[in-house]
Amino acid sequence: MLKPDEIPAHIGARRKIMEETILTPKKKKLAHPAAKSPRIFADTGSIDEIKPLFEAGIVNGVTTNPTLMKKAGATSLKQAQKMMKEIVKLLDPYPVSLELTELTKDKMIKQAEKLAAYGPNVVIKVPIGGYRAIDPSYDEHTGLKVLHALWEKDIKTNATLIFNSTQALFAARAGASYVSPFLGRVADYMYKHDEAERDMGNSLYFVEDHRGARENTRLHNTGYVAAGGERKDSGIRLIHEISVIFSNYKIKTEILAASFRNDVQVAEGLLCGADILTVPAPILMRVASHPLTDEGMKAFVEDGKAFES
Ligand code: E4P
C-alpha cells in the first residue's frame, strides 16, 4: 500500500478546479461534506445490484457496457433498452454511461441522440479507438470525431477503452466529459506477460519472488503506485499519469478509473488521483465491511443488553 508521504501532492490542487458533484438542496443548512470528487460509481447493468448501493449513498453514478448488459440478463435490444431506461430513471440526476454499439460516425451520432433522450443524466460512452481492428476500412479516429461532434451538440460523453495518457488527452481535447482508463485490464495483460528478467519498464509490476508467489502477487498486484517507486503497476500508474497531466493543464475532464479487479485497487485508485472509481458491486459490498467492525458491533450489542428496558 501507499505510504502517506507517497500520496501525490497534485491531487489537492486538482480538487480546487473541479465542480461539486453532490448537490446540497438549497433549503438544507448542512452542506454535504464530500460534495467534490472522488465519486464512486457502480460498474454494472443490474438494477438489483445498483439499488442497495445507491440507497446507502455509496454510489452516485453508474457505468454500463454491452458486456455488462448481457451479464445482467439482457438478451435482446428491447430488453437492454428497458433495463437502461430503468437505471437512468433511478439515478437521475446522477450520471449513467450508456455505450454506443454502432461503428460509423453518422450512425453513432444518431444512436447517441436516441440514448441521450432517455434522460438528462445520460452520458454517452464512446470507444476511443479499435475501429480498424473491427474492419480495416473503418476510420480509426471515429471515436474522437464522435466525441467532438457530441460536445458540439452539448451531449456529455465518456471516452472508454483508454490505455495510455495520450488517448486520454486526445479525448479531453475532443470534448469528452469523462475518460475511462481500464486499470484492471492493464494489470491482467501485464500479469500474463510479466517476466522477472526484463527491465521494470517492460513489466507491469515488479515482484521480488516472481516465480514463487504469482497467485498471491496477482491479488495484491498494486504494491506500488505511480512513477518513481521501487515497484510499478502500470494500471494504477496510468491513472496517476493522466491525473498529473490533467492537473498541470487544468483539464476538467473527469478521470473515471475503470476495470477494477480487487479491493486494494480501490484504495490505491483514490490515492493516486482518480476523480471517479467505477467498481463492480461485489467489490463495493466487500470494501464496505471489515471483520473488526463485525467484532466490535457484536460486543456493543452484547453490552447494550444491560440497558434493555
Ligand atoms: C468501464 O466503464 C467498463 O465498463 C468496465 O470497467 C470494464 O471492465 P472489465 O475490464 O472488467 O470488463
Side-chain angles (χ1 to χ4, degrees), residues 43 63-65 68 125 158 160 180 182 185 256 258-261 278:
D43 195 23
T63 52
T64 66
N65 64 34
L68 291 172
K125 220 170 173 187
N158 171 359
T160 193
S180 291
F182 278 27
R185 289 198 197 182
L256 204 171
S259 177
F260 281 83
R261 296 287 181 262
T278 190

Side-chain angles (χ1 to χ4, degrees), residues 15-273:
R15 295 276 66 77
K16 286 186 192 146
I17 67 163
M18 303 305 281
E19 312 289 339
E20 292 199 347
T21 52
I22 300 175
L23 311 173
T24 302
K26 280 211 171 72
K27 58 180 192 294
K28 273 195 61 58
K29 284 191 195 142
L30 196 59
H32 197 286
K36 288 202 172 189
S37 299
R39 301 192 261 176
I40 309 289
F41 289 1
D43 195 23
T44 176
S46 159
I47 197 151
D48 293 338
E49 285 190 344
I50 297 164
K51 259 187 195 157
L53 294 164
F54 186 56
E55 283 164 6
I58 294 173
V59 301
N60 62 345
V62 168
T63 52
T64 66
N65 64 34
T67 309
L68 291 172
M69 294 311 301
K70 214 170 147 189
K71 203 172 153 197
T75 50
S76 66
L77 174 65
K78 215 170 167 198
Q79 210 176 4
Q81 286 171 335
K82 188 170 171 270
M83 287 161 67
M84 289 191 287
K85 282 180 187 166
E86 273 171 11
I87 298 170
V88 169
K89 195 169 168 213
L90 174 73
L91 265 285
D92 188 23
Y94 294 111
V96 178
S97 286
L98 305 178
E99 187 159 334
L100 298 180
T101 50
E102 294 289 354
L103 295 167
T104 52
K105 189 182 165 202
D106 291 349
K107 284 187 179 173
M108 287 168 80
I109 292 170
K110 264 193 200 140
Q111 189 186 22
E113 286 173 325
K114 272 193 195 155
L115 291 173
Y118 289 2
N121 50 327
V122 168
V123 174
I124 304 298
K125 220 170 173 187
V126 183
I128 187 76
Y131 297 87
R132 274 213 300 254
I134 304 297
D135 183 331
S137 71
Y138 287 163
D139 176 2
E140 188 57 11
H141 297 139
T142 304
L144 287 166
K145 289 176 183 172
V146 170
L147 288 168
H148 193 60
L150 295 179
W151 173 74
E152 286 186 325
K153 288 175 181 288
D154 289 324
I155 294 176
K156 282 194 173 179
T157 54
N158 171 359
T160 193
L161 288 172
I162 298 282
F163 287 96
N164 68 39
S165 42
T166 41
Q167 286 179 320
L169 176 65
F170 292 174
R173 291 285 304 267
S177 300
Y178 306 85
V179 287
S180 291
F182 278 27
L183 72 97
R185 289 198 197 182
V186 176
D188 293 347
Y189 178 85
M190 295 307 294
Y191 170 68
K192 280 188 204 148
H193 297 86
D194 194 21
E195 293 296 338
E197 56 275 11
R198 287 190 197 159
D199 290 341
M200 280 196 292
N202 291 329
S203 70
L204 176 65
Y205 50 89
F206 184 80
V207 286
E208 291 83 0
D209 185 7
H210 179 74
R211 305 280 169 209
R214 269 218 161 185
E215 204 45 45
N216 191 34
T217 301
R218 186 179 185 202
L219 284 174
H220 302 282
N221 65 6
T222 52
Y224 182 73
V225 169
E230 289 166 14
R231 298 171 69 183
K232 293 172 196 281
D233 177 321
S234 301
I236 289 291
R237 193 179 138 90
L238 169 61
I239 311 287
H240 177 256
E241 269 181 33
I242 299 170
S243 170
V244 170
I245 293 165
F246 282 16
S247 188
N248 284 345
Y249 293 99
K250 295 192 167 51
I251 294 169
K252 287 189 176 182
T253 299
E254 288 189 84
I255 304 161
L256 204 171
S259 177
F260 281 83
R261 296 287 181 262
N262 59 52
D263 304 11
V264 177
Q265 286 171 340
V266 175
E268 293 193 328
L270 294 169
L271 289 170
C272 75

